Amino acid sequence: MKFIVSSTALFSHLQAVSRVINSKNALPILDCFLFQLEDGTLTITVSDSETTMVTSIEVNESDSNGKIAVTAKTLLDALKEIPEQPLSFTINPETKEITVEYMNGKYSLMGQNADEFPLSATLGESAVQVEMNAEILLAGINRSVFATADDELRPVMNGIYFDITTEDITLVASDGHKLVRCKTLAARGTERAAFILPKKPSNLLKNLLPKEAGMVKIEFDERNAMFTMENYRMVCRLIEGRYPNYNSVIPQNNPHKVTVDRQQLIGALRRVSIFSSQASSLIKLRVQENQMVISAQDIDFSTSAEETQVCQYAGNPMSIGFKSTFLIDILNNISSNEVIIELADPSRAGVIIPVEQAQEEDLLMLLMPMMLND
């Protein structure tokens, strides 16, 4: 079995799918790329037994069909150093020996039996199908994946919840402290449906989607989901379970609304949080007429800091405490220049929304407060 392929094209495809491979695998075959050559198309498959990703690349010339498994790390490290040029692969199906020839030299390595590679999961006949624009899906994942949890006791919180209706699709993520609800009106389903996408496939999509344009086809049943893009296909196991009612935790009718410059607030939080207690990272926001005082203190080390920011606020003075790292995370994942922070009282969650929403999008973030000592 022989084929010739462009080195940079092959490397970029291998690098994109290699993120699926775990550093430690129970089955040695999962450390490999599965190469399948058929009618001039090389299909590359990787899997960690729960998530499988497939991509294909046209080869310049080939003599026969066949398949072989190749150790991923060795091949990636070897191709990384080769500039753009044709690579000639020669594979002996009996001995599994692979020879890669390039302009000034050649590599020899051993392949593995391709038949040992696990088959990817298939979807049942009851699978639901929706389509989303790659850009819209990427924006939703980018804005929500940071808020997913790492909670072994509540696995449903460890992924992004896709809530599909006939009018819109909403992506939700929460770890119990912060919550993101990103609703898009530019995509919708034909029926009411939902699934929970785990964190790892979410991050894989986050890396792949910038290379994609056009529509992404999403098909899913109770156990698995398949994302079909122009150049890649991913099948992954879903998180099973019932996602909590996220709308019930979002406080309505918040009387105190503060409009503030997002970048200036991030800068102030970063400076002031250096002086907060390392255990809690607690910062205090005190809002009064058209100004916000951001303060923090660490009683154990007798350090404190305070900074005043201009804001738009006309209500009664009030103070609320937040964990600074969470608040900075939330502000970093909003793209608007200004944000509105909606507050009810110091014990209820703060709602943070961008002043300018993206087109056909409704983004809302929520952060639970921390108790203030004073």
Side-chain angles (χ1 to χ4, degrees), residues 93-294:
E94 272 79 48
T95 63
K96 307 275 186 290
E97 189 178 349
I98 304 166
T99 307
V100 184
E101 293 181 57
Y102 55 101
M103 210 180 291
N104 306 337
K106 67 173 188 176
Y107 297 145
S108 287
L109 62 156
M110 292 303 293
Q112 295 189 39
N113 184 0
D115 295 331
E116 292 174 15
F117 205 86
L119 295 170
S120 93
T122 51
L123 299 181
E125 288 181 10
S126 61
V128 179
Q129 186 176 321
V130 291
E131 285 199 341
M132 282 183 89
N133 183 293
E135 220 174 293
I136 291 166
L137 179 59
L138 175 63
I141 291 174
N142 269 339
R143 293 199 174 107
S144 49
V145 71
F146 81 96
T148 52
D150 287 304
D151 190 339
E152 289 176 10
L153 299 175
R154 289 189 301 172
V156 293
M157 308 297 276
N158 299 347
I160 299 176
Y161 179 63
F162 281 68
D163 190 0
I164 298 160
T165 71
T166 52
E167 289 161 14
D168 52 49
I169 296 180
T170 305
L171 276 64
V172 183
S174 176
D175 60 2
H177 302 288
K178 50 189 183 289
L179 177 141
V180 176
R181 186 192 72 191
C182 183
K183 181 186 288 188
T184 176
L185 303 167
R188 56 184 65 86
T190 51
E191 58 186 298
R192 188 79 209 257
F195 65 91
I196 306 170
L197 184 68
K199 188 181 290 195
K200 181 175 175 179
S202 301
N203 280 317
L204 291 168
L205 283 172
K206 187 175 163 179
N207 288 314
L208 283 182
L209 287 167
K211 304 184 177 95
E212 294 288 325
M215 300 304 281
V216 178
K217 189 163 104 180
I218 307 170
E219 298 164 271
F220 60 95
D221 57 17
E222 293 80 44
R223 302 202 52 175
N224 298 291
M226 184 192 294
F227 292 78
T228 308
M229 294 154 269
E230 198 180 340
N231 299 312
Y232 300 92
R233 189 176 84 241
M234 181 177 83
V235 182
C236 63
R237 175 90 48 87
L238 297 173
I239 297 174
E240 293 179 43
R242 192 183 171 89
Y243 203 80
N245 179 357
Y246 59 89
N247 283 317
S248 66
V249 299
I250 300 171
Q252 307 298 326
N253 309 326
N254 301 304
H256 307 289
K257 290 183 170 56
V258 188
T259 306
V260 62
D261 183 287
R262 185 179 68 89
Q263 285 294 1
Q264 286 184 354
L265 181 55
I266 292 173
L269 289 168
R270 285 200 169 126
R271 290 186 289 272
V272 171
S273 64
I274 296 165
F275 296 88
S276 65
S277 156
Q278 287 188 331
S280 68
S281 301
L282 170 69
I283 51 120
K284 176 175 156 187
L285 303 182
R286 177 161 181 79
V287 288
Q288 49 212 49
E289 193 171 331
N290 291 340
Q291 69 171 18
M292 177 190 282
V293 180
I294 301 144

